[in-house]
């Protein structure tokens, strides 16, 4: 269904928006909390409006694509059944068991940076940490890391260019990667590695074994989502702390503050820019009338910078109410991998703090903002000591 004609309130692709996404979103939120654009249709910025969308999956459906995404692109009751099946994979027990391996990955990468002078943090630490950690969590071989990194970079470029043929080809390429992993485990039989990917092959939903297509969709979601957001988050943390040496020193002195500091820094600049929904019926939101079948985009970081909820939202504070922070979402689609992500980010930042004495921006500045739909930085040059 085509949306009704509306006068655009803003242009998400404008140069001034891309130059500083966070400030641009703040500006639009201040004058038009629910804004229309030709590119995205309806964009939702205020915390209260975002929460309304998140807590009403009947009106705001997650089934936004003709390609089914398991389970994040589903609505209840289908979503409920798949969600029940995957949540145990992110249990405290499983995350705790994985932490030593994650620490080893982070420590090796961080130690390679120590005393290295100028470092491009995304390529040298953030992205390889995210890729290696996710491969280790899924039980994928180290030999897959380079090709997976290349696939992610091509996928990000195609997404940015809105190159649908390239995205379709990349989806098939990823399907081939997963098919090879599943086939190897099937052939191994009882000798297959006892890892998460093997376990998924034996998972059931509503009494039936999950299909290869279901497993591939889940693994694509976990791989693209986890690696992209973890890499972006590490870059954001490194950049903010480079600009705030006093907090960096505080965290070195008291590592117990690291988890809260991560949540607060990523509240101010989140690693995931947006998520989409589609309306199932006409609805009024933020003073705007939205028809059925229209696209709605929620802006996580803007909601987390809403001054109605977070006093002085640009100010770093460790005493904020964590329940208001939408870093991992809310409602039935709250990120199931949040426990894993929190552990990985804590481990990564602790490794960087332990292996170095300080880091600061490179001469002349070295932070190149990512372009929507990405968040964070595409490049980040830091002086590491």
């Amino acid at each position: 269904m085509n949306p009704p004609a509306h006068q655009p309130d803003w242009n998400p692709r404008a140069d001034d928006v891309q130059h500083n996404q966070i400030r641009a979103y703040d500006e639009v939120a201040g004058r038009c909390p629910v804004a229309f654009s030709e590119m995205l249709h309806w964009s939702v910025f205020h915390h209260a409006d975002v929460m309304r969308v998140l807590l009403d999956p009947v009106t705001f459906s997650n089934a936004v694509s003709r390609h089914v995404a398991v389970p994040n692109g589903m609505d209840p009751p289908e979503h409920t059944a798949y969600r029940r099946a995957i949540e145990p994979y992110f249990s405290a027990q499983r995350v705790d068991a994985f932490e030593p391996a994650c620490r080893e990955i982070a420590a090796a990468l961080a130690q390679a940076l120590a005393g290295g002078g100028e470092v491009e943090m995304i390529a040298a630490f953030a992205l390889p940490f995210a890729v290696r950690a996710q491969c280790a969590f899924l039980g994928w071989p180290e030999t897959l890391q380079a090709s997976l990194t290349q696939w992610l970079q091509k996928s990000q470029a195609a997404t940015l260019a809105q190159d649908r043929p390239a995205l379709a080809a990349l989806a098939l390429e990823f399907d081939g990667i997963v098919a090879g992993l599943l086939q190897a485990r099937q052939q191994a039989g009882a000798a297959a590695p006892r890892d998460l990917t093997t376990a998924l092959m034996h998972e059931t939903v509503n009494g039936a074994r999950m299909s290869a297509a279901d497993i591939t969709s889940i693994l694509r979601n976990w791989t693209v989502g986890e690696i992209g957001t973890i890499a972006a988050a590490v870059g954001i943390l490194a950049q903010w702390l480079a600009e705030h040496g006093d907090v960096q020193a505080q965290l070195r002195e008291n590592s117990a503050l690291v988890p809260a500091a991560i949540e607060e820094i990523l509240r101010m600049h989140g690693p995931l820019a947006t998520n989409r929904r589609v309306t199932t019926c006409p609805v009024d939101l933020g003073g705007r009338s939205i028809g059925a079948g229209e696209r709605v985009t929620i802006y996580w970081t803007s909601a987390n910078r809403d001054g109605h909820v977070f006093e002085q939202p640009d100010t770093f504070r460790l005493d904020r109410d964590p329940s208001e922070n939408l870093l991992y979402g809310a409602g039935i689609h709250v990120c199931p991998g949040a426990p894993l992500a929190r552990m990985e980010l804590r481990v990564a930042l602790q490794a960087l703090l332990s292996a170095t004495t300080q880091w600061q921006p490179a001469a002349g500045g070295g932070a190149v903002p990512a372009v929507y739909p990405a968040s964070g930085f595409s490049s980040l040059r830091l002086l590491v000591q």
Side-chain angles (χ1 to χ4, degrees):
M1 178 176 179
N2 293 325
H6 294 280
Q7 187 69 25
D9 300 303
W10 72 306
N11 177 11
R13 288 283 192 176
D15 290 342
D16 59 338
V17 173
Q18 295 304 324
H19 178 70
N20 190 329
Q21 292 186 54
I22 301 300
R23 292 301 176 195
Y25 301 156
D26 287 350
E27 186 277 328
V28 178
R31 62 178 173 82
C32 195
V34 177
F36 185 82
S37 67
E38 294 180 355
M39 175 185 173
L40 298 176
H41 296 177
W42 297 103
S43 295
V44 184
F45 297 97
H46 279 192
H47 193 281
D49 293 328
V50 168
M51 284 298 294
R52 182 179 170 192
V53 172
L54 297 176
L55 298 180
D56 185 2
V58 174
T59 302
F60 301 95
S61 169
N62 257 50
V64 298
S65 172
R66 58 190 178 89
H67 302 291
V68 177
V70 182
N72 57 312
M74 295 174 165
D75 295 322
E78 192 176 27
H79 167 268
T80 307
Y82 280 92
R83 178 78 181 219
R84 188 181 299 118
I86 69 168
E87 281 187 338
Y89 289 88
F90 302 100
S91 66
Q93 181 180 9
R94 189 180 286 268
V95 171
D96 288 346
F98 177 57
E99 183 169 335
C102 192
R103 283 191 175 279
E104 186 176 340
I105 292 167
L109 288 166
Q111 288 165 8
L113 303 180
E118 187 173 302
V119 171
E120 204 294 285
M121 184 61 74
I122 305 301
F125 185 87
L127 183 57
F129 169 74
V131 171
R132 294 181 192 182
Q134 189 64 3
C135 283
F137 183 70
L138 295 175
W140 293 2
E142 293 183 5
T143 53
L144 192 58
Q145 292 170 6
S147 58
L148 186 57
T149 300
Q150 293 173 353
W151 183 89
L152 285 162
Q153 292 169 336
K154 289 187 292 184
S155 179
Q156 290 170 350
T159 300
L160 176 61
Q162 291 294 288
D163 187 340
R164 298 193 181 281
L167 288 169
L170 285 164
L172 289 175
E173 182 180 335
F174 188 88
D175 290 355
I177 293 172
V178 174
L181 292 165
L182 299 183
Q183 184 178 27
R185 284 161 171 75
Q186 288 172 340
Q187 293 174 344
R194 298 171 62 85
D195 56 28
L196 186 150
T197 301
T198 300
L200 273 178
M201 296 173 65
H202 300 282
E203 196 62 64
T204 60
V205 174
N206 293 327
R209 186 75 62 87
M210 282 201 298
S211 69
D214 288 341
I215 296 170
T216 300
S217 181
I218 290 170
L219 291 174
R220 185 190 301 113
N221 179 38
W222 288 354
T223 304
V224 178
E226 185 76 6
I227 292 176
T229 52
I230 290 295
V234 171
I236 291 166
L237 293 169
Q239 189 277 337
W240 193 91
L241 289 171
E243 298 280 358
H244 298 81
D246 56 334
V247 178
Q248 192 182 142
Q250 183 183 17
L251 298 182
R252 281 195 169 86
E253 293 173 4
N254 186 356
S255 62
L257 298 177
V258 165
I262 290 172
E263 301 276 320
E264 175 66 352
I265 294 169
L266 297 181
R267 177 195 63 77
M268 294 185 287
H269 185 169
L272 181 64
T274 61
N275 270 140
R276 295 185 296 159
R277 300 291 193 272
V278 61
T279 54
T280 61
C281 61
V283 62
D284 289 333
L285 183 67
R288 308 298 292 266
S289 295
I290 302 174
E294 295 197 44
R295 286 182 288 153
V296 173
T297 300
I298 54 179
Y299 279 74
W300 298 112
T301 299
S302 185
N304 271 341
R305 295 170 57 82
D306 188 337
H308 296 93
V309 178
F310 302 98
E311 183 183 11
Q312 296 181 309
D314 270 320
T315 301
F316 175 84
R317 285 174 41 181
L318 294 175
D319 63 344
R320 298 193 189 273
D321 181 355
S323 68
E324 302 284 6
N325 193 331
L326 298 179
L327 178 60
Y328 296 101
I332 66 169
H333 292 286
V334 66
C335 178
L340 175 65
R342 284 190 167 102
M343 182 276 288
E344 290 181 346
L345 292 174
R346 171 174 52 81
V347 163
L349 185 52
Q350 288 174 337
L352 286 172
L353 292 168
S354 296
T356 64
T357 56
Q358 68 169 337
W359 65 81
Q360 57 195 46
V368 179
V371 177
Y372 184 85
S375 184
F377 303 94
S378 60
S379 178
L380 179 61
R381 292 187 298 109
L382 299 175
L383 185 61
V384 179
Q385 298 176 343

